[in-house]
Amino acid sequence: MSAQPRLVVSAPASGHGKTAIAVGLLAACAARGLPVAGFKVGPDHTDAAYLGLAAGRPGRNLDPRLVGAQRIAPLFQHGAAGTQLSVIEGAMGLFDSLTGQPEIDGTAAVAAVLRAPVVLVVDVASMGHSLAALVHGFRVFDEMVHLGGVVLNRIASPRHEQMLRTALDDIGMPVLGALRRGDLPNVLPARANGPVPVAHRTVEASRAVRRLGEAVAGCLDLDRIMALAASAPSLPGPVWTPAEASGGEVFEQRPVVALAGGPGAPYTYVETAELLTAAGADVAVVDPLRDESLPAGTRALIVGAGLPEGYAEELSANRRLCTQVAQFAADGWPVIAEGVALPWLGHDLDGRPMCGVLDATAVTGEQTVAGYREATAPATSPLAPAGARITGYKQHRAIVTPRAGAVPAWTWSGGNPEGFVWRQVHASQLGLHWAAAPEIAKRVVSAAIAGPAPLLPPIPLRPMPPMSPPPMAPPMSASMAPQKSQAPSQPRPHNPAQPVLNLSDTVDITTS
């Protein structure tokens, strides 16, 4: 059993100020000297990064779709270890869901699994006594969710505040804080920048977090909030650990695995680095936007989906790193690329030259494609064996042509194959949470130890005349065994465990 003070910060819908309140609450408590931790419901890398910056320790994501509902509490307990307060920021409204199934992956579902009280942030700028009806409805809608208090945001005047407090007092709902219009500064960097300002530890990001902390400290009752968090009951069950998840097997070598990110945050989920370390790698951070070379001794490269597409110009301008990555991939070393890292490995993005590893081009489209995919690996790669199935999330505007290579990275129901598998390169716009299938880390480390794949005839990724088709390797079996193309002098250890299948429907969400 684990007693960890915790609460969920949610709202009736997006736009009520819950991100600013959650970040500010963590910053205010950290300024008091309390050890705190921040979590984000869903796949959002950006909010998780700012929650981590405010807490002074890595922000984490709790996404039942990506990791499975059974891992939410163990992952939370791992990330909250040693803290006196954990703040879990919800996604969208309390009872909303990206997939339309809030009972599975909505904020309320996560709050119920964690048995965490909920603080509801409400923008009351245009509300009166009807606030009581709204809050009462949220309180009784789901008996598994405990609504512990309300934060009033954007009140118009002292009289307005008193009216709202009276309305909530009539239904017995505590008011944990009140902010007037302008009290909560709009200071967080633009979302288009993603987690990059945090990764780079910019003055702008740090100042924004500090200002939100000062605003929350002056307008919220921190003592009552801490008491509410402390009322959360003990959580039963095991605590997730990278060592146990990765299987605990130790390799004789510790290869250097380069992971894209900055000193403040990685461009992927925090558990990726933890699993790689537990699997036997020495993880070294490389920033594709700033670093001109890979870390010394790099034997594998991983670029996660957290790096936003808006940095195409900076990616292209870093020609030295592009050249080195192209040679690294051509030499046969493992490269795992997600999100914008796929067009980065192609010839060009919006006319800007990229690494040229893959025979593909990309342009930025007018619409954002976002949604979960239940993906199947059609071929064996350093990431997964053929036939492996896992749920991932994609969010991008870049349109890659061709969409897939001769050997795709993924297939899924209702959509065309996507991505590229070539030698030891696995590139796709789909982002994964490795806690769902921790054996991925062991596969990557094993591939790094085994070394470059033998040089093979190039696989054409664009249509070729039927006169002289290239030789094709036979399909691999769906096991965790090493690829037959790797050097027999350094065999990879066999792991019979199959990749975890996180059952979910394929969901496509397209927004402008």
Side-chain angles (χ1 to χ4, degrees):
M1 304 286 284
S2 175
Q4 292 167 320
R6 59 196 180 275
L7 55 83
V8 172
V9 175
S10 189
S14 298
H16 283 249
K18 65 178 180 295
T19 298
I21 292 293
V23 170
L25 180 57
L26 284 168
C29 291
R32 284 187 168 190
L34 297 175
V36 294
F39 300 82
K40 173 67 179 179
V41 176
D44 187 346
H45 294 277
T46 303
D47 285 356
Y50 283 98
L51 293 167
L53 179 61
R57 60 193 289 166
R60 297 174 185 269
N61 293 76
L62 299 173
D63 191 326
R65 284 284 174 180
L66 291 183
V67 302
Q70 76 281 6
R71 290 191 181 89
I72 294 299
L75 283 168
F76 166 78
Q77 294 188 75
H78 167 67
T83 64
Q84 295 183 23
L85 173 66
S86 292
V87 175
I88 303 107
E89 183 202 342
M92 306 170 67
L94 178 58
F95 298 106
D96 294 330
S97 163
L98 287 171
T99 66
Q101 295 180 298
E103 71 281 0
I104 297 175
D105 53 22
T107 298
V110 172
V113 167
L114 297 180
R115 305 171 71 184
V118 176
V119 174
L120 195 70
V121 179
V122 185
D123 184 337
V124 297
S126 301
M127 298 193 71
H129 286 86
S130 295
L131 172 66
L134 172 74
V135 172
H136 177 68
F138 272 80
R139 178 171 58 183
V140 302
F141 186 79
D142 187 344
E143 62 182 11
M144 298 300 294
V145 177
H146 170 48
L147 183 56
V150 174
V151 171
L152 308 175
N153 188 23
R154 299 184 69 227
I155 57 175
S157 65
R159 181 173 178 273
H160 185 209
E161 178 183 348
Q162 185 57 49
M163 177 181 64
L164 297 174
R165 286 182 177 271
T166 300
L168 292 179
D169 185 61
D170 288 343
I171 64 170
M173 178 58 62
V175 175
L176 302 177
L179 300 99
R180 295 192 181 186
R181 297 175 182 176
D183 282 348
L184 200 61
N186 183 21
V187 291
L188 288 175
R191 288 194 60 83
N193 295 329
V196 172
V198 177
H200 290 172
R201 294 178 175 170
T202 64
V203 172
E204 179 188 17
S206 299
R207 182 184 295 122
V209 168
R210 184 179 67 253
R211 288 187 61 189
L212 290 175
E214 293 168 352
V216 165
C219 298
L220 269 63
D221 190 335
L222 296 185
D223 291 334
R224 292 184 70 187
I225 289 174
M226 287 294 300
L228 176 63
S231 71
S234 297
L235 280 176
V239 178
W240 185 89
T241 65
E244 291 184 8
S246 64
E249 187 173 356
V250 179
F251 294 101
E252 293 183 0
Q253 303 179 40
R254 291 194 67 87
V256 175
V257 175
L259 181 66
Y267 297 140
T268 185
Y269 300 113
V270 176
E271 290 81 1
T272 299
E274 295 175 336
L275 286 165
L276 285 167
T277 300
D282 287 333
V283 177
V285 174
V286 60
D287 191 343
L289 304 177
R290 291 183 170 183
D291 295 334
E292 295 186 345
S293 62
L294 295 172
T298 295
R299 297 176 69 93
L301 170 64
I302 300 168
V303 185
L307 183 62
E309 294 174 327
Y311 289 89
E313 184 174 352
E314 289 84 349
L315 289 170
S316 176
N318 194 350
R319 298 315 306 160
R320 290 186 178 181
L321 184 62
C322 285
T323 301
Q324 189 175 21
V325 168
Q327 188 62 55
F328 185 80
D331 287 343
W333 294 99
V335 178
I336 310 299
E338 297 177 346
V340 74
L342 168 55
W344 182 53
L345 292 182
H347 286 305
D348 58 80
L349 172 56
D350 290 334
R352 299 183 178 93
M354 295 294 169
C355 296
V357 174
L358 304 172
D359 192 12
T361 61
V363 296
T364 301
E366 296 181 355
Q367 292 183 315
T368 297
V369 177
Y372 294 92
R373 303 290 188 274
E374 186 182 314
T376 301
T380 294
S381 74
L383 183 74
R389 300 173 66 193
I390 190 170
T391 298
Y393 184 80
K394 58 158 41 186
Q395 182 171 341
H396 63 86
R397 293 177 63 190
I399 302 171
V400 179
T401 305
R403 177 184 171 94
V407 182
W410 301 110
T411 61
W412 47 72
S413 176
N416 296 320
E418 179 189 286
F420 301 79
V421 172
W422 174 70
R423 301 193 73 188
Q424 297 211 83
V425 175
H426 185 286
S428 168
Q429 290 172 296
L430 189 71
L432 304 181
H433 196 307
W434 287 18
E439 57 269 32
I440 293 175
K442 186 174 293 185
R443 289 181 63 86
V444 171
V445 173
S446 181
I449 292 174
L455 184 62
L456 299 174
I459 299 176
L461 303 181
R462 288 178 175 168
M464 296 287 288
M467 298 292 293
S468 55
M472 297 292 289
M476 301 295 293
S477 60
S479 70
M480 299 297 289
Q483 300 180 56
K484 295 180 181 179
S485 62
Q486 290 169 342
S489 59
Q490 291 180 299
R492 300 183 194 173
H494 178 74
N495 182 352
Q498 292 298 313
V500 175
L501 169 59
N502 180 10
L503 291 174
S504 68
D505 297 328
T506 298
V507 179
D508 292 284
I509 305 172
T510 305
T511 58
S512 58

